[in-house]
């Protein structure tokens, strides 16, 4: 079952990886400014913010498989809209639909949590995370090859339709081969707005602080999605295909770390130690990019960012799923992912302005600095987990 989940995730993230590095060029094609392009990124994150908790709750109620299929169908629609986008309105609509239908991450991790426990869970989540990263490695390479060296002659319609076709392939594979991991006897009967669960989640001494750490981490990561292509093009003269290769390198590094290092790191220093190392590496990588004097510095920063993401992602989800009952995993993962989507919504609102008004390096300096309060939130979560365990 984990193999099928991994394959579906891999194919889906090839499609996402095709679009993300090239999205600023989709915007520039219709005359959008850096501020407008980052606004479109924020619109997509806002869609994720309001929908991810719903997808998690729905998967707790009706099972993981149907929610995954709905999410993939919606992602297909979003990419078709992007293919036909010839105005700012259509561009924004495509990103909103993509955000609203992005339930795959929370549902995939919930599926893994359903069938694993203990040390196996961190290792399995690391491998599913590697599928995310491997897809995101292949996608930018494919997108870069399709885009070529000259943004003015790129076939943006064909690129978006390629991403849509990959979503359809993932949907068909999931429909035929994926079995349900969340049986009826374990399903929640709570209403969508379960005030008691929401209150317990927000008051939980570990979950609340992990949500804050994820909010700050995801906000920092949003700068990479929205600003790195523009930074590379403006400061170092990188072409779309070169930017695609940079994202491919980052995906490869993240894949290798998640596949071969996350389990070992978590076993040696624990899940909290892993998340701490991930946040620190991520902040260092952002600063490397900010001060980069050549593309070599960008590659070094990309490595730290990729490794930091890999070491943070799966252990953080492990901490969250371990803290709740099986019937609540999808909902709580949705809340956790929703906190990240708050960060993804907020930082693009000002990163485009910083890029234009202060300088291309400014968004990355800010993204690095917000790792400091993220580490503080994680330190408090670790202390709270120790207190909880002792009681």
């Amino acid at each position: 079952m984990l193999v099928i989940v991994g394959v579906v995730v891999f194919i889906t993230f090839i499609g996402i990886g095709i679009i993300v590095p090239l999205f600023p060029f989709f915007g520039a094609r219709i005359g959008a400014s850096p501020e407008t392009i980052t606004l479109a990124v924020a619109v997509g994150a806002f869609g994720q913010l309001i929908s991810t908790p719903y997808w998690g709750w729905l998967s707790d109620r009706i099972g993981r498989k149907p929610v995954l299929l709905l999410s993939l169908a919606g992602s297909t629609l979003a990419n078709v809209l992007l293919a036909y986008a010839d105005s700012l309105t259509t561009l924004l609509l495509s990103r909103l639909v993509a955000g609203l239908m992005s339930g795959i991450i929370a549902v995939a991790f919930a599926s893994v949590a359903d069938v694993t426990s203990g040390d196996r869970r961190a290792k399995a989540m690391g491998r599913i995370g590697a599928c995310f990263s491997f897809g995101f490695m292949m996608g930018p390479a494919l997108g870069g090859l399709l885009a070529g060296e000259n943004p003015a002659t790129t076939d943006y319609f064909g690129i978006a339709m390629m991403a849509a076709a990959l979503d359809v392939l993932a949907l068909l594979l999931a429909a035929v081969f994926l079995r349900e991991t969340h049986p009826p006897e374990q399903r929640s009967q709570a209403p969508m707005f379960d005030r008691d669960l929401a209150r317990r989640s927000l008051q939980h001494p570990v979950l609340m602080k992990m949500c804050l750490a994820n909010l700050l981490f995801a906000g920092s990561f949003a700068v990479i999605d929205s600003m790195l292509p523009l930074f590379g093009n403006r400061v170092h003269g990188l072409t779309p295909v070169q930017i695609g290769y940079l994202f491919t390198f980052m995906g490869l590094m993240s894949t290798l770390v998640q596949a071969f290092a996350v389990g070992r790191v978590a076993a040696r220093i624990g899940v909290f130690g892993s998340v701490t190392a991930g946040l620190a590496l991520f902040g260092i990588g952002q600063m490397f990019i900010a001060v980069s004097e050549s593309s070599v510095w960008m590659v070094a920063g990309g490595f730290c960012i990729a490794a930091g993401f890999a070491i943070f992602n799966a252990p953080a989800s492990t901490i969250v799923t371990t803290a709740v009952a099986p019937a609540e995993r999808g909902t709580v993962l949705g809340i956790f992912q929703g906190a990240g989507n708050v960060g993804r919504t907020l930082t693009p609102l000002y990163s485009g302005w910083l890029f234009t008004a202060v300088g291309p390096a400014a968004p990355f300096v800010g993204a690095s600095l917000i790792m400091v309060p993220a580490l503080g939130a994680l330190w408090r979560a670790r202390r709270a987990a120790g207190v909880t365990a002792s009681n």
Side-chain angles (χ1 to χ4, degrees):
M1 195 286 303
L2 292 179
V3 173
I4 297 300
V5 173
V7 170
V8 169
V9 164
F10 168 65
I11 294 172
T12 303
F13 270 74
I14 292 178
I16 294 173
I18 288 174
I19 298 301
V20 168
L22 299 178
F23 182 73
F25 298 103
F26 276 86
R29 176 179 62 121
I30 61 172
S33 66
E35 295 93 334
T36 304
I37 291 169
T38 54
L39 173 63
V41 174
V43 166
F46 177 74
Q48 292 179 320
L49 170 63
I50 61 178
S51 68
T52 301
Y54 170 77
W55 290 122
W57 166 83
L58 189 62
S59 76
D60 283 340
R61 288 292 299 265
I62 68 173
R64 315 301 186 201
K65 182 174 179 175
V67 173
L68 190 64
L69 297 179
L70 285 171
S71 177
L72 290 169
S75 181
T76 303
L77 174 61
N79 284 320
V80 171
L81 286 171
L82 182 62
Y84 285 96
D86 57 1
S87 67
L88 178 59
T89 300
T90 314
L91 187 75
L92 292 174
L93 179 61
S94 74
R95 294 305 87 197
L96 179 61
V97 173
L100 289 173
M101 304 304 291
S102 60
I104 186 170
I105 297 176
V107 176
F109 277 129
S111 297
V112 173
D114 288 338
V115 296
T116 58
S117 60
D119 293 338
R120 288 186 63 245
R121 181 173 296 168
K123 186 175 182 180
M125 285 192 170
R127 289 179 174 174
I128 295 299
C131 293
F132 283 107
S133 298
F134 192 40
F136 201 75
M137 176 191 74
M138 299 296 293
L142 178 58
L145 290 173
L146 293 173
E149 297 286 347
N150 187 355
T153 60
T154 296
D155 180 13
Y156 294 99
F157 176 86
I159 290 172
M161 291 302 290
M162 174 69 75
L166 288 166
D167 283 332
V168 172
L169 176 60
L171 189 154
L172 293 175
L173 289 174
V176 174
F177 297 107
L178 185 66
R179 67 174 177 83
E180 181 57 62
T181 64
H182 194 51
E185 62 270 17
Q186 292 185 0
R187 293 177 189 174
S188 169
Q189 299 300 315
M192 179 178 175
F193 297 104
D194 185 352
R195 295 181 180 179
D196 182 57
L197 176 56
R199 176 183 56 79
R200 285 188 284 113
S201 298
L202 292 175
Q203 293 179 352
H204 193 286
V206 176
L207 291 178
M208 180 179 65
K209 298 171 183 66
M210 288 301 299
C211 283
L212 177 58
N214 195 39
L215 184 155
L216 295 168
F217 173 81
S220 180
F221 194 87
V223 174
I224 297 297
D225 285 346
S226 60
M227 291 282 94
L228 187 60
L230 294 175
F231 179 90
N233 182 257
R234 178 80 60 87
V235 176
H236 299 296
L238 300 184
T239 64
V241 67
Q242 290 171 327
I243 291 168
Y245 290 153
L246 176 59
F247 273 86
T248 297
F249 168 76
M250 293 168 64
L252 174 61
M253 294 300 101
S254 184
T255 300
L256 293 174
V257 172
Q258 290 190 91
F260 301 108
V262 168
R264 292 185 176 92
V265 172
R268 182 175 294 272
I269 64 175
V271 287
F272 278 103
S274 299
V275 175
T276 301
L279 291 177
L281 274 172
F282 203 84
I284 292 169
Q286 295 275 21
M287 194 60 73
F288 275 178
I289 290 175
V291 302
S292 63
E293 297 180 352
S294 68
S295 57
V296 174
W297 280 87
M298 286 192 67
V299 171
F303 171 78
C304 291
I305 286 168
F309 172 81
I311 296 172
F312 173 88
N313 196 36
S317 296
T318 300
I319 293 169
V320 170
T321 57
T322 303
V324 297
E328 299 174 345
R329 285 174 184 150
T331 300
V332 172
L333 273 171
I335 293 171
F336 179 69
Q337 296 292 339
N341 291 330
V342 173
R344 292 187 185 94
T345 302
L346 294 178
T347 52
L349 294 177
Y350 68 80
S351 59
W353 174 83
L354 284 174
F355 185 91
T356 301
V358 181
F364 300 95
V365 173
S368 178
L369 293 178
I370 63 176
M371 289 298 93
V372 176
L375 286 166
L378 183 63
W379 178 75
R380 295 184 64 188
R382 186 171 191 164
R383 288 193 61 190
V387 170
T388 302
S390 67
N391 289 340

